[in-house]
Amino acid sequence: MKSSMFRFLFYVPTIIALASCVSVNIADNERQRSESVQFSDPSDNFTKVNHDQLDGLWRNLKNGNSISYLSDCHSPSDPPLKQIHDNIIRDIENRNVLSANIVSFNRRRALRSTVEGSIDGVSSKMDILVFKKNNCIYILNYVALPATYSADHMVFESFLKGFSVP
């Protein structure tokens, strides 16, 4: 179980990062990250982890839950939120979109969803928020094993409250 969990922790953020880069039709090395993002690191048991394809990634080392965000300010296209979202989740096996709603986030329209599925055979549950502002695309997500999803979901909610793009 431990090795499956660690594969899960590596693959989910990577798939989300790669899918988001594909959704805006550029390679990661061409992606221009936002320099105006303001946030506070997630609290409690989360530790910052370096990941080349994500702007920020934090993991709870006790249960494996992760919080991450990615920005892209170099997209030659302006894909709709739903297209970005669908590209993020397309590689999740047996996916079930539990909810998908247009919400207001950072004074912009955003698509927020809860998705269950499996990656590399490991069950997962995700809270994904996608929005665009100032010619940038932002993807914020919380990923957990279904059994530990509720344990840190409030930490993700706090992260969202402190995340802003002027």
Side-chain angles (χ1 to χ4, degrees), residues 126-145:
M126 294 163 256
D127 186 342
I128 304 167
L129 183 108
V130 179
F131 75 103
K132 299 186 284 186
K133 188 170 183 179
N134 303 333
N135 299 313
C136 297
I137 296 169
Y138 297 90
I139 302 167
L140 293 80
N141 69 315
Y142 169 64
V143 180
L145 297 170

Side-chain angles (χ1 to χ4, degrees), residues 70-87:
L70 176 137
S71 64
D72 178 17
C73 302
H74 184 263
S75 176
S77 64
D78 185 21
L81 295 174
K82 182 166 179 7
Q83 180 182 348
I84 297 166
H85 177 268
D86 290 350
N87 281 332

Side-chain angles (χ1 to χ4, degrees), residues 55 70 80 94:
D55 295 7
L70 176 137
N94 303 314

Side-chain angles (χ1 to χ4, degrees), residues 4-13 59 63-66 143:
S4 294
M5 184 171 75
F6 287 109
R7 279 198 319 265
F8 163 80
L9 293 173
F10 173 76
Y11 286 123
V12 171
R59 288 201 177 116
N63 61 20
N65 296 343
S66 68
V143 180

Side-chain angles (χ1 to χ4, degrees), residues 28-88:
D28 187 59
N29 60 354
E30 296 175 13
R31 182 169 59 92
Q32 180 181 343
R33 296 173 187 222
S34 175
E35 295 180 14
S36 62
V37 172
Q38 299 171 355
F39 63 89
S40 295
D41 286 0
S43 60
D44 297 326
N45 297 318
F46 282 81
T47 301
K48 184 159 181 58
V49 177
N50 290 326
H51 193 289
D52 292 341
Q53 297 169 333
L54 297 168
D55 295 7
L57 170 63
W58 299 265
R59 288 201 177 116
N60 180 328
L61 300 178
K62 291 182 181 180
N63 61 20
N65 296 343
S66 68
I67 293 172
S68 65
Y69 85 93
L70 176 137
S71 64
D72 178 17
C73 302
H74 184 263
S75 176
S77 64
D78 185 21
L81 295 174
K82 182 166 179 7
Q83 180 182 348
I84 297 166
H85 177 268
D86 290 350
N87 281 332
I88 292 168

Side-chain angles (χ1 to χ4, degrees), residues 107-120:
R107 298 185 312 267
R108 294 293 190 270
R109 280 176 36 110
L111 177 59
R112 186 166 183 184
S113 66
T114 305
V115 179
E116 288 183 324
S118 62
I119 297 172
D120 195 29

